[in-house]
Amino acid sequence: MDSITGSGAPQRQPASFVMKCGGSTLAALPDNFFEDLRLLQEQGNQPVIVHGGGPAISGNLERLGIETEFVNGLRRTTEDVLDVVEMVLSGSINKQIVRRIQAAGGRALGLSGSDGGLIQARPVDNSAEVGFVGEVTEVRSNIISGILDLGYMPVIAPIGVDESGQRYNINADTAAGAVASFLGAARMIVVTDVPGIMKDSGSGKAVLPAVTVQEIDEMIASGEIYGGMIPKVKAAVSCIHGQVQEVVIVDGSVPGILSRVLSGEEIGTRIVQPK
């Protein structure tokens, strides 16, 4: 992605944290995760949530008989596919997350990147291959600021829009990183179903407390990171750009995980930008 600039550049104190989570992971999280979010909000923190929903999109496309394929990890997005992507991300998944936060006593407001032109986008370079997939050019952070100032945590579906009103399917990790960068947040929390990046310590697998992007590339090349962990790690790395200097991968099923990360406890894996 190109460097992110524009009128949506940071205009406020950084949000406490930006959290990214896949739709399927969020659906499986225990109630105490959302109670932890509510507690953080009551303590004056300002969570900003960006979510995905790939499996639910695929399931709905299959039920509707709409073919889908992936090109270099990006879903090929025709107009028909885009209708389903928007329906699932901005509709069912977004509202499910909002309802769970509110059921736990928190205050949340769901929106998509097309609302108010929140996430401005343009076609990716290989749009001829992947269709209506976009990259972020600007996040109108004043919209998020306004929601935070009202005492709500924004829950954002990664749909982008351009000046003509054309919608784009935005990779959730890329969208989360852009939101964090425009808000001036230096750290992101990526909630997954794994405790972090695992490495063989000789006496079994152990969680790496910290790793650089370069070290991750080396571990993938050597086979130390393999299988289903590769896309999880690459997704976390893709959140690091702009002002985002650190991404923390955590297991959302661990009680009080967000509070523990924000309190400085060494839990999960920190992926850091090299100095």
Side-chain angles (χ1 to χ4, degrees):
M1 181 185 297
D2 292 343
S3 60
I4 299 175
T5 58
S7 61
Q11 300 171 357
R12 61 172 285 119
Q13 291 298 313
S16 294
F17 66 96
V18 175
M19 184 190 94
K20 184 270 170 181
C21 192
S24 57
T25 300
L26 272 165
L29 289 173
D31 290 342
N32 62 38
F33 179 87
F34 296 93
E35 291 163 3
D36 191 28
L37 265 177
R38 184 258 304 160
L39 179 62
L40 287 168
Q41 187 177 46
E42 288 178 349
Q43 293 171 344
N45 292 281
Q46 296 180 313
V48 176
I49 299 168
V50 180
H51 67 84
I57 293 169
S58 295
N60 276 272
L61 287 169
E62 185 176 351
R63 282 191 289 274
L64 293 168
I66 301 174
E67 290 189 12
T68 184
E69 60 180 308
F70 287 85
V71 179
N72 297 324
L74 296 175
R75 186 187 300 274
R76 187 171 180 273
T77 306
T78 63
E79 194 73 47
D80 286 344
V81 170
L82 188 55
D83 284 340
V84 176
V85 168
E86 185 171 45
M87 175 183 72
V88 172
L89 291 179
S90 305
S92 56
I93 289 186
N94 188 272
K95 303 318 169 193
Q96 179 190 35
I97 297 167
V98 170
R99 286 194 299 272
R100 291 201 70 185
I101 293 170
Q102 292 177 163
R107 291 161 57 88
L109 194 152
L111 68 163
S112 85
S114 66
D115 294 323
L118 172 62
I119 298 178
Q120 293 289 302
R122 65 185 174 207
V124 294
D125 290 340
N126 62 333
S127 59
E129 296 177 88
V130 298
F132 295 109
V133 175
E135 64 179 20
V136 180
T137 59
E138 180 183 338
V139 176
R140 292 179 173 168
S141 57
N142 61 319
I143 296 174
I144 298 174
S145 302
I147 294 170
L148 292 171
D149 290 342
L150 288 170
Y152 290 86
M153 61 181 86
V155 180
I156 302 169
I159 301 293
V161 66
D162 65 17
E163 292 180 356
S164 73
Q166 173 61 52
R167 303 165 298 167
Y168 294 95
N169 182 12
I170 307 289
N171 175 276
D173 305 288
T174 302
V179 167
S181 190
F182 270 93
L183 283 172
R187 176 170 60 183
M188 275 193 53
I189 300 174
V190 175
V191 178
T192 69
D193 56 0
V194 295
I197 300 175
M198 310 291 288
K199 185 173 183 178
D200 194 337
S201 65
S203 58
K205 296 286 186 181
V207 176
L208 283 174
V211 65
T212 66
V213 174
Q214 181 180 348
E215 287 169 338
I216 285 174
D217 291 339
E218 292 169 355
M219 290 172 69
I220 291 175
S222 70
E224 291 178 275
I225 297 176
Y226 60 91
M229 194 63 208
I230 292 177
K232 294 179 191 294
V233 171
K234 285 188 172 181
V237 168
S238 71
C239 294
I240 299 179
H241 61 73
Q243 296 195 37
V244 182
Q245 298 297 310
E246 174 181 296
V247 171
V248 186
I249 300 178
V250 298
D251 182 349
S253 68
V254 175
I257 187 65
L258 298 176
S259 293
R260 293 167 70 178
V261 170
L262 293 176
S263 70
E265 181 177 339
E266 288 195 3
I267 190 167
T269 298
R270 291 170 54 245
I271 302 175
V272 296
Q273 283 274 44
K275 299 294 186 182

